[in-house]
Structures are given as C-alpha cells and as structure tokens.
Amino acid sequence: MIVFDASTVVSAALKADSIPERALLRAEEIDVFALSTAVDTEIAEVLNRPKFAGATPARRRNRFLRMLRDAAIWFEPAVTVTDCRDPKDDKYLELALAAGAETIVSSDDDLLVLHPWRGVRNPATGRLFGFARQIANSVAGKR
C-alpha cells in the first residue's frame, strides 16, 4: 500500500516524464494506492488551482485523478493523528495508518522530516525509484 501526497501528484501532472510522474506510474505497476476522501479532495483542489490549471491541460490533470481514483483502495481513517508540524498534512499520516501503508511519497518538507514515521517510509519522490526496485525485486523473488 502506498500513499501519494498532493505535491507529488501535482508535480507529476505539471511535467511529463518527470521523476514524480515516473514514480507515480511505476507505483501503479507494482503497488496499490491508498486514498481517502480527505486526500482525494485536497489533490483535486490543488490540481485545479488557477496557477496549476493554467500550466497543464485539464485532460492531463484529470488523467492523474482518474488513475489514482480507479486504482486505489479507499479508506476512511478512524484515528486522528496530530504528528505533523503542518496540521493540514496529518490527513496523509491518518491515511497511511488506516491503510497500513508502507510508504508515503512526498516532496513536502513537513512530511519528509518525519521519515520514518511509525514504521512508514517517507521518501522524497526521487528516492522512490530505489524503493520501487527493491519492491520489484522482492516480488520477482516470490514467484
């Protein structure tokens, strides 16, 4: 189970073939996205802010939203978390906890500073590729 935050999804949508986009697409191949209403709402709102909406076509932004929504297992966290120095980011921690996620992918310093958080890895997006290779190798070894 893996959680992506809004900063990573927006970065993926803004620039084709960027590290965030490749990380998101690779994670879709080898892992399962966790999503909650609160996280989905924030990602959609951030993607549709005027500064981002003007920088990338609606079709591309919507493609990332659809990919996440269609591939995700949805959770509604029952436990409130207040561990993040930015309270708006606690929703990602709550989702990771509810989903039993192994990784939160973010470029947000308020989340990155918590690495690791309660056993959940919190790599910067660029480091996700190392984790993706480890996961892919472990999956291949189980076959």
Side-chain angles (χ1 to χ4, degrees):
M1 216 40 88
I2 192 165
V3 173
F4 276 79
D5 80 338
S7 68
T8 304
V9 177
V10 168
S11 295
L14 286 174
K15 187 165 185 204
D17 201 37
S18 61
I19 289 174
E21 180 184 36
R22 288 184 283 155
L24 195 63
L25 296 174
R26 182 68 178 141
E28 182 187 28
E29 293 174 1
I30 65 170
D31 212 332
V32 177
F33 296 122
L35 204 55
S36 67
T37 301
V39 167
D40 176 66
T41 298
E42 179 170 64
I43 291 171
E45 286 175 356
V46 173
L47 276 172
N48 289 305
R49 286 181 184 162
K51 68 180 177 179
F52 300 127
T56 188
R59 194 164 102 200
R60 181 168 171 80
R61 294 190 318 271
N62 290 332
R63 181 175 69 103
F64 284 97
L65 276 175
R66 274 193 315 278
M67 179 182 66
L68 279 172
R69 290 171 174 166
D70 293 347
I73 295 178
W74 288 75
F75 296 87
E76 288 310 319
V79 176
T80 300
V81 173
T82 59
D83 295 350
C84 192
R85 62 188 183 193
D86 181 353
K88 293 183 301 186
D89 291 331
D90 282 327
K91 67 177 73 62
Y92 297 103
L93 303 176
E94 292 167 352
L95 174 57
L97 190 62
E102 295 177 358
T103 306
I104 300 170
V105 182
S106 177
S107 59
D108 185 322
D109 288 336
D110 294 320
L111 289 169
L112 292 174
V113 73
L114 297 173
H115 174 66
W117 176 79
R118 298 188 191 185
V120 178
R121 294 179 299 213
N122 194 353
T125 306
R127 292 198 322 247
L128 178 64
F129 287 110
F131 291 124
R133 279 191 289 276
Q134 290 172 1
I135 294 166
N137 290 338
S138 70
V139 169
K142 291 179 183 176
R143 290 182 185 166

